[in-house]
Amino acid sequence: MRPFQLPLHRSRHPFARALSLVVGVALLGVMLVFGLVVAGVLLVGGGLWLALRQWNRARAVGRTAPVAGGARAPVLEGDFVVLHEGRPIAR
């Protein structure tokens, strides 16, 4: 036996059937409107966030000091080891 079971009988009264239909359609409409509002807020918020990010990047590029004498931009340097498959690694 199931611990929770919905009543499966349908009302025979025509007014009750019509009222349940209207309530169901109204609930679907409310959920649709709510979903569209949430989607609109997300789209507008995402667009504003992207625009603000691009604006901040453009301002940051304008503030960087020009490199004197045509020197290169700083390079991240480091050591690396090439590992070959099949060969043991010397420790």
Side-chain angles (χ1 to χ4, degrees):
M1 184 171 193
R2 297 180 202 165
F4 178 74
Q5 196 171 15
L6 292 174
L8 297 177
H9 67 281
R10 290 179 13 182
S11 176
R12 291 181 180 256
H13 198 280
F15 181 71
R17 281 187 172 188
L19 183 64
S20 65
L21 178 67
V22 170
V23 168
V25 169
L27 283 175
L28 284 175
V30 167
M31 288 191 296
L32 177 66
V33 169
F34 182 72
L36 289 175
V37 167
V38 168
V41 167
L42 286 173
L43 282 173
V44 169
L48 288 175
W49 179 72
L50 286 174
L52 182 64
R53 212 172 95 189
Q54 290 294 326
W55 185 63
N56 284 338
R57 281 186 180 178
R59 282 185 36 209
V61 168
R63 280 186 278 169
T64 57
V67 179
R72 290 186 174 183
V75 176
L76 179 64
E77 295 184 16
D79 295 326
F80 64 92
V81 176
V82 178
L83 300 176
H84 296 283
E85 288 185 28
R87 291 185 181 174
I89 300 173
R91 292 183 185 220

